[in-house]
Amino acid sequence: LQAHFRASRNNRTQLNTNGEKLDCFASCRYCHLMQSQARMETRKRHQQSSVVGDGEATKSLLEPLIEHVPEKLKPMLLCSPRHRFAAAIFLVVAMSAATFSLVGEGALSRDSALSLLRTLSIDLGNGQCQWTEGQPVDQDAEVFRTLISAYPGSGKRVAFLQLEGLTGLTTGDDFDLSIKNANTKFAFIKTSYPQHEGIWTQQGGMDQALLIIRNPRWAIPAYHHMLYEINYAKTWEEAYASSNNVYTMRSPVEAWYEWRNKRAIPEIHWWGWFIDFWMEGGLMRDIFTHRITTPEHFEMLMQPSQFTESELSFETVVGENATILPSYDYNCIMYLPDGGCKAKTVIQYEKLVEPSTGPAEANKMAATIVGKPGIEVIAEEARECVWEELIINRKGLRTSVDRDGNGPPREAFALTHDQMVLINYELNRVKEKYSSGEWVTDPAAQDLVASVNMYIAENENEIEAMVSATT
């Protein structure tokens, strides 16, 4: 599971025990968030034993387990020796966790615990709805599958709770690396891929993608609140241990300032890069120059903690005068083909939580799944009731609004003047791109531009206030 692309890109294809080719490069991406944990555990085990570090010996121990492992993990167990031991560690950790959740005395599994909070609606007629416990999809039935994509802090949970309420079907999480999650089919999967907090776990294939957006001026602080709530976790295990803290508080302002001064400017570029990825169907671009780039460079960009900014620059990796042909993300080609990675619609977080616009924005999502295989959407007259129960009455899981009153007020999390100017520069770039050429007749692009115009105006008011305060 050491998914460092530099370790795997030179060994993308190997043979399994049956002589069949395996794509190690793509599969190893599945658990790239485990890489630091895997390296730490590998070093620890090497110090404790001189036997377990042998790649071939580890492989011989793993081969009897292959038939019990999810298909997406098998290439990791059979690829380069460098990955085998880390994969063995993951199996021990994951299987132990799964066993504990099943047989732990008095303990609830994650899904059981969450089901106590997650209640979904049924139609009572005349615009009324009642809440019942949600159900997973029939694992043997055909079901239309939707990927809910958003930059961190942009309201994925608010969006997927609406979809759950509209359909009675639960949502999967790309950050849940448990074996149970890997083997379960979901109607909806939330993801922040390809941003570095997201991974792609949808090897079963998806049918469409929805893009959720939020003004980066507020999405970036919200992203930091999440990091603070999980104690800036570096591994899935660490994040899972702090998961009960999610959506319970805002960070101290001092912690925000420290993080903001280091990360805000790169994250502003990440925000725009993320938008382009899902609007252009997974087209690979550089973050800072927005030029079309190579798959190798793209992989590096998704793992910024492994490289310095200069090491990630287009000029360093690709070359200033290089001619690059357009290429698309491997996962989009394999698991969301035929343009499926291009956002079907764009949902604005601010509209989704606002009483005057929320029901209509939620109905935009409903329109993308009505009549699809395995999906039954609640009657249109009851959809406003679903929205009210979730947003006004706060049924279901906690969301970002539950941070209100727990920590400093939202306005305390200021950005610098230069950072605000850069945000509006990036918003204007997005606006100009998606309001011209082929995008003029694209409904998703027009929704995006309308939202971006609102963000620009809001941010301009804040920038003017900042200037006035210093004169």
Side-chain angles (χ1 to χ4, degrees):
L1 299 186
Q2 293 184 17
H4 198 303
F5 100 98
R6 288 180 296 186
S8 58
R9 68 177 178 181
N10 295 325
N11 193 17
R12 292 191 182 187
T13 304
Q14 292 196 7
L15 301 179
N16 66 12
T17 52
N18 297 319
E20 299 168 337
K21 289 187 177 181
L22 296 172
D23 191 335
C24 306
F25 181 76
S27 300
C28 287
R29 181 190 295 171
Y30 168 70
C31 286
H32 75 75
L33 290 180
M34 298 289 288
Q35 61 190 10
S36 59
Q37 180 185 11
R39 284 195 297 272
M40 179 181 67
E41 292 288 351
T42 301
R43 287 194 296 267
K44 184 190 302 181
R45 301 290 181 174
H46 272 293
Q47 291 169 359
Q48 295 173 350
S49 171
S50 60
V51 177
V52 295
D54 184 89
E56 293 306 315
T58 305
K59 180 180 177 182
S60 67
L61 292 173
L62 291 173
E63 284 177 342
L65 300 175
I66 294 297
E67 62 180 297
H68 304 293
V69 175
E71 290 297 323
K72 67 184 71 175
L73 296 180
K74 289 182 181 179
M76 299 180 206
L77 302 182
L78 293 172
C79 287
S80 66
R82 192 174 173 186
H83 293 143
R84 290 177 197 136
F85 181 72
I89 293 169
F90 174 74
L91 282 179
V92 171
V93 172
M95 289 180 178
S96 298
T99 302
F100 176 80
S101 69
L102 289 173
V103 304
E105 187 173 340
L108 285 173
S109 69
R110 174 182 180 275
D111 289 341
S112 297
L114 291 185
S115 70
L116 298 179
L117 298 174
R118 178 175 292 168
T119 50
L120 304 175
S121 55
I122 57 174
D123 180 19
L124 296 179
N126 298 317
Q128 302 299 308
C129 60
Q130 181 178 334
W131 296 87
T132 60
E133 185 174 335
Q135 300 295 324
V137 301
D138 183 344
Q139 297 298 296
D140 297 322
E142 179 186 5
V143 62
F144 187 84
R145 306 183 67 194
T146 298
L147 196 62
I148 305 164
S149 60
Y151 174 88
S154 297
K156 289 188 297 294
R157 180 173 287 199
V158 172
F160 82 65
L161 286 176
Q162 288 292 326
L163 286 169
E164 289 184 341
L166 292 167
T167 64
L169 300 174
T170 52
T171 302
D173 186 347
D174 72 342
F175 200 76
D176 184 351
L177 299 182
S178 67
I179 287 182
K180 178 181 179 182
N181 187 73
N183 281 330
T184 301
K185 180 193 299 182
F186 294 97
F188 314 109
I189 293 280
K190 73 177 187 70
T191 187
S192 290
Y193 184 90
Q195 201 264 1
H196 49 86
E197 297 290 354
I199 56 177
W200 190 289
T201 60
Q202 296 69 251
Q203 269 81 345
M206 304 297 290
D207 296 293
Q208 68 175 5
L210 306 182
L211 176 60
I212 318 300
I213 64 168
R214 184 181 187 182
N215 189 342
R217 190 271 172 259
W218 299 110
I220 293 173
Y223 169 33
H224 175 256
H225 296 329
M226 176 74 74
L227 293 176
Y228 180 80
E229 287 168 331
I230 61 174
N231 199 28
Y232 304 97
K234 299 297 184 183
T235 69
W236 171 64
E237 195 173 37
E238 292 173 357
Y240 182 76
S242 302
S243 59
N244 286 338
N245 297 330
V246 172
Y247 298 109
T248 62
M249 70 187 91
R250 294 192 179 106
S251 73
V253 172
E254 295 77 16
W256 157 246
Y257 286 157
E258 182 179 358
W259 185 89
R260 175 201 72 178
N261 293 340
K262 296 176 181 177
R263 292 281 298 277
I265 288 178
E267 293 299 334
I268 293 167
H269 290 287
W270 274 95
W271 186 90
W273 178 80
F274 188 94
I275 298 296
D276 284 339
F277 180 90
W278 289 106
M279 289 300 294
E280 296 184 304
L283 181 63
M284 297 184 183
R285 289 188 180 275
D286 176 41
I287 292 174
F288 298 100
T289 67
H290 308 293
R291 293 173 62 176
I292 292 172
T293 193
T294 63
E296 290 76 14
H297 185 214
F298 192 80
E299 288 292 333
M300 294 175 68
L301 294 170
M302 290 195 295
Q303 300 182 60
S305 63
Q306 303 297 325
F307 307 93
T308 65
E309 187 171 326
S310 62
E311 288 176 327
L312 287 174
S313 72
F314 185 90
E315 292 78 8
T316 299
V317 181
V318 181
E320 179 63 34
N321 299 318
T323 300
I324 307 299
L325 296 177
S327 57
Y328 291 82
D329 180 76
Y330 174 91
N331 292 299
C332 289
I333 295 171
M334 292 297 297
Y335 308 118
L336 250 173
D338 303 321
C341 262
K342 181 186 179 301
K344 181 71 173 180
T345 192
V346 175
I347 302 298
Q348 184 184 329
Y349 168 81
E350 292 85 354
K351 285 185 177 180
L352 191 57
V353 298
E354 172 62 38
S356 63
T357 55
E361 199 72 0
N363 209 33
K364 280 173 59 179
M365 292 192 289
T368 69
I369 56 175
V370 168
K372 301 300 185 183
I375 305 289
E376 183 177 351
V377 183
I378 199 169
E380 188 168 357
E381 64 179 7
R383 294 175 193 171
E384 185 169 348
C385 172
V386 172
W387 182 89
E388 290 177 354
E389 288 286 77
L390 286 164
I391 302 298
I392 304 300
N393 299 327
R394 298 194 180 184
K395 297 288 182 69
L397 298 175
R398 293 188 299 259
T399 66
S400 55
V401 297
D402 291 295
R403 292 189 178 118
D404 293 341
N406 297 297
R410 187 179 81 146
E411 292 71 23
F413 297 91
L415 290 159
T416 68
H417 176 270
D418 288 348
Q419 290 165 352
M420 289 295 298
V421 169
L422 180 61
I423 284 177
N424 265 17
Y425 178 86
E426 186 64 16
L427 288 169
N428 274 294
R429 182 193 72 81
V430 170
K431 170 188 172 180
E432 292 173 7
K433 178 174 180 175
Y434 294 104
S435 59
S436 61
E438 62 181 300
W439 299 106
V440 171
T441 57
D442 186 289
Q446 296 313 299
D447 285 346
L448 172 63
V449 169
S451 297
V452 166
N453 279 330
M454 293 176 60
Y455 299 159
I456 291 171
E458 178 186 355
N459 296 343
E460 283 293 345
N461 290 335
E462 185 171 351
I463 291 171
E464 290 175 6
M466 295 171 79
V467 172
S468 298
T470 59
T471 58

